[in-house]
Amino acid sequence: MAAIRNTEGQLRAGRKFAFQEVERAVTRAYDAKPVVARKSKAKTVAKFQDRVATNAVEMEDLRTMSPWPRPELITAEMAVDLLFPDDGALLCMAKETRKAYTATRDHWLKKEHLHSLLVPNLATSMTGKTQDGHLSKRCNQQFPDRTYAVVEFDDGASLAEQAGRALYLGKILPLTLVCHSGNKSLHCWFLAAGEDEDNVLSFYDVAISLGADRVGRTRCQLMRTPGAWRVFPGGFEETESTLTFSAEGIRQKVHYFNWANAWTSTH
């Protein structure tokens, strides 16, 4: 609860604060702490970014390069089926971070477009225990192995630069899918099934040096559901008991998909 108390300490009577502040505090309070084999010391490397920036690819060109024709037509239901082609798969999805839970593939059928967040790894159980020993509906214990490594660039680079970085990282792990976050970044999915965890973390070190967010290193991290709708929240006041969402939303459109690099039960 320390995370929530820290946030509360920043509040003033009548002050409005961003929904993300609440979301981050609740996530830190209830979700598992990142469990990694080693601590990353990777940092953004400007020269490396500049070199890879020469490979920038416009979104239209990226869609043309996609082995799956017209990837922008892939719906959330299609995306989940293509990424996790197993009717018995246990998947963790959410409309909001704090409301994430794990259920069978059948449970999510026809609801995928409403759940803009998805853990990119197959779960082995409905619940698990956090490092603090608390029962959780989303924690690292449920995801002992990687299915995908998802990279999000949050350094303000253009979409074209981000796409170029994704293609560059595809030389290390197979690039499966690229989708828009519904805001300012791309979420790039790489096949990681069967890879040694240290190798995946080394992959993230390279991605971080190019401007990627570190959160992907955490196995239970929620990422954007390809093809789903992202609804932007409105303001949240201290006195309110519910979250008010704006009527507008944006689709987390797929711009690239390579079926050959998708997970199968044989991995």
Side-chain angles (χ1 to χ4, degrees):
M1 294 299 179
I4 292 180
R5 285 197 293 271
N6 289 340
T7 299
E8 289 175 342
Q10 300 171 17
L11 301 179
R12 301 186 302 274
R15 177 200 169 214
K16 291 185 178 181
F17 56 97
F19 172 79
Q20 288 80 2
E21 292 181 66
V22 182
E23 191 173 44
R24 282 195 296 268
V26 173
T27 299
R28 288 196 296 267
Y30 292 104
D31 291 339
K33 297 176 182 178
V35 178
V36 295
R38 55 176 171 74
K39 186 175 181 180
S40 172
K41 295 182 180 179
K43 296 181 179 179
T44 301
V45 180
K47 288 185 178 180
F48 190 23
Q49 284 184 315
D50 291 342
R51 190 181 310 128
V52 177
T54 60
N55 299 322
V57 177
E58 297 297 334
M59 290 297 95
E60 182 178 353
D61 294 329
L62 183 65
R63 290 191 292 272
T64 301
M65 296 168 63
S66 172
W68 184 281
R70 303 191 69 184
E72 68 275 13
L73 298 182
I74 294 177
T75 64
E77 180 180 345
M78 289 174 61
V80 174
D81 278 340
L82 291 168
L83 292 167
F84 303 99
D86 183 350
D87 291 339
L90 289 180
L91 302 175
C92 183
M93 301 188 74
K95 295 180 180 179
E96 304 170 38
T97 299
R98 61 179 181 166
K99 294 184 178 180
Y101 65 95
T102 303
T104 60
R105 176 69 188 93
D106 288 345
H107 172 82
W108 300 115
L109 194 60
K110 306 300 181 184
K111 306 173 188 173
E112 299 90 346
H113 64 290
L114 300 173
H115 294 80
S116 62
L117 298 168
L118 165 70
V119 174
N121 301 308
L122 290 166
T124 57
S125 60
M126 298 288 195
T127 60
K129 287 187 176 181
T130 67
Q131 282 191 325
D132 296 330
H134 299 298
L135 192 66
S136 174
K137 295 180 180 179
R138 178 176 67 90
C139 64
N140 280 324
Q141 188 184 61
Q142 296 169 266
F143 307 93
D145 300 309
R146 303 264 184 182
T147 308
Y148 295 97
V150 179
V151 171
E152 177 188 15
F153 297 102
D154 63 348
D155 63 335
S158 68
L159 294 181
E161 288 179 308
Q162 294 178 49
R165 294 173 185 177
L167 294 173
Y168 180 88
L169 291 171
K171 299 175 182 179
I172 305 174
L173 287 180
L175 178 60
T176 305
L177 179 146
V178 177
C179 73
H180 193 258
S181 70
N183 198 356
K184 299 179 181 179
S185 63
L186 297 178
H187 279 219
C188 312
W189 292 55
F190 299 84
L191 183 63
E195 293 288 343
D196 182 81
E197 180 68 1
D198 278 344
N199 290 340
V200 176
L201 295 177
S202 294
F203 165 80
Y204 272 112
D205 285 345
V206 177
I208 291 167
S209 69
L210 284 172
D213 196 321
R214 296 172 179 269
V215 297
R217 290 168 53 88
T218 304
R219 294 192 304 276
C220 67
Q221 178 65 37
L222 288 163
M223 294 297 186
R224 292 291 160 186
T225 305
W229 284 87
R230 179 173 182 175
V231 179
F232 290 94
F236 181 80
E237 294 188 28
E238 184 182 6
T239 57
E240 291 181 335
S241 59
T242 59
L243 297 178
T244 302
F245 289 91
S246 65
E248 297 182 358
I250 186 169
R251 187 160 168 262
Q252 295 163 181
K253 186 184 297 184
V254 177
H255 292 276
Y256 177 96
F257 181 70
N258 187 345
W259 198 1
N261 292 339
W263 173 86
T264 66
S265 58
T266 58
H267 278 102

